[in-house]
Amino acid sequence: MKTWIGSGILLASGAVFLSQPVVTVAQSNQSLVLEQYKGKPFEDSHFRTAPQRIPGRVECAAYDAGGEGVAYHDSDPVNHGSGQLNTADGTYLNEFRMRDGVDTSYTKFPTAAGKDAIDNNSYETVTPPKDQLYVGWTEPGEWFNITIEAAKAGKYSADLLYTSNRGGSISIDVNGHDATGPVTIPTTYNNADPIAWRQWHHWNILRNAVTLDLPAGRNVLTVHIATGGNMNLAHFDFRTAAEK
């Protein structure tokens, strides 16, 4: 008998894992998870490194391929960014993964006269890269998986590039088990901005957002939207925990 645990990862039922230290859990279940997990690392003409590497930058929009209930769970089947907000016009960015339920978009820096600044506005804390892909329109209960390759066993810390209109929290599983607990995502709301829709475009970096204890080799990370929602998640920059 087997049990689904809500992240597309299948574990043998009856095993008492949650009372064990996180590193023990990850090591004892790494092979089982990889054998049974049906998702695949995402790869295309832009994202050529699959799986993504730690240490290094882990892009949220390059979540695994595999579809609803396997690689991700979204509250509805429509991508509200690619193909909707961003008109399907044949371009890579506007049509990026537009048939998936995960909502994706990218940062925009309008230059035409009379156009309001979007992701290069003066009310954000940091300016993100132009054309940075991200997961957005997030709601509590949603999740997505990212298969990664850890260079060696050990602890890795990561900074998160994000926006959060109303604050909230996320958590990350490693190989099907909670590795972080709730991680508070501070709001980036700025009352001084006169344009209401731009509250979703105030970018910031959450330093040392998470620390994960990873076994060497391939692992599956599951990013959960726990509370709040309305967050845009761009990428995690992972380094060994000893580095500043």
Side-chain angles (χ1 to χ4, degrees):
M1 182 177 178
K2 298 175 180 178
T3 302
W4 288 98
I5 61 172
S7 57
I9 297 173
L10 190 62
L11 298 178
S13 66
V16 182
F17 294 137
L18 295 181
S19 62
Q20 301 178 44
V22 171
V23 64
T24 304
V25 169
Q27 289 171 339
S28 64
N29 292 289
Q30 184 183 22
S31 296
L32 178 63
V33 166
L34 295 175
E35 177 185 345
Q36 297 181 336
Y37 177 52
K38 302 304 182 184
K40 301 293 182 184
F42 177 73
E43 186 175 13
D44 70 359
S45 60
H46 180 79
F47 293 103
R48 295 182 178 273
T49 302
Q52 301 188 65
R53 304 290 197 260
I54 292 179
R57 177 164 293 178
V58 173
E59 299 279 356
C60 294
Y63 61 89
D64 288 355
E68 169 66 37
V70 174
Y72 65 82
H73 169 64
D74 200 85
S75 57
D76 67 59
V78 177
N79 188 328
H80 294 285
S82 300
Q84 191 174 84
L85 174 69
N86 307 320
T87 304
D89 60 1
T91 62
Y92 174 81
L93 289 172
N94 275 29
E95 296 191 0
F96 179 77
R97 309 191 78 170
M98 68 179 184
R99 291 176 179 82
D100 277 4
V102 176
D103 307 298
T104 53
S105 191
Y106 61 95
T107 55
K108 305 175 181 72
F109 293 7
T111 57
K115 291 287 187 179
D116 292 318
I118 301 178
D119 295 290
N120 56 337
N121 65 81
S122 61
Y123 300 95
E124 58 194 8
T125 304
V126 301
T127 301
K130 183 176 181 290
D131 297 337
Q132 169 69 53
L133 286 155
Y134 60 85
V135 172
W137 289 266
T138 54
E139 295 293 340
E142 296 181 341
W143 52 263
F144 54 90
N145 289 334
I146 305 174
T147 298
I148 62 89
E149 185 85 16
K152 61 182 181 180
K155 291 185 178 181
Y156 296 88
S157 296
D159 301 335
L160 170 64
L161 178 63
Y162 78 101
T163 80
S164 179
N165 184 22
R166 62 191 184 205
S169 64
I170 65 171
S171 66
I172 297 181
D173 296 349
V174 174
N175 299 329
H177 291 272
D178 181 21
T180 64
V183 176
T184 299
I185 305 298
T187 182
T188 55
Y189 184 90
N190 186 338
N191 192 54
D193 193 337
I195 300 177
W197 57 259
R198 204 159 53 197
Q199 295 296 343
W200 284 269
H201 299 272
H202 295 161
W203 290 91
N204 198 4
I205 295 175
L206 181 58
R207 302 292 181 186
N208 298 309
V210 298
T211 297
L212 303 180
D213 208 336
L214 299 175
R218 191 167 290 201
N219 296 274
V220 179
L221 309 184
T222 305
V223 180
H224 293 271
I225 309 304
T227 63
N230 276 234
M231 292 177 276
N232 294 331
L233 306 177
H235 56 64
F236 293 90
D237 280 328
F238 279 95
R239 62 192 179 279
T240 58
E243 297 177 37
K244 300 297 183 182

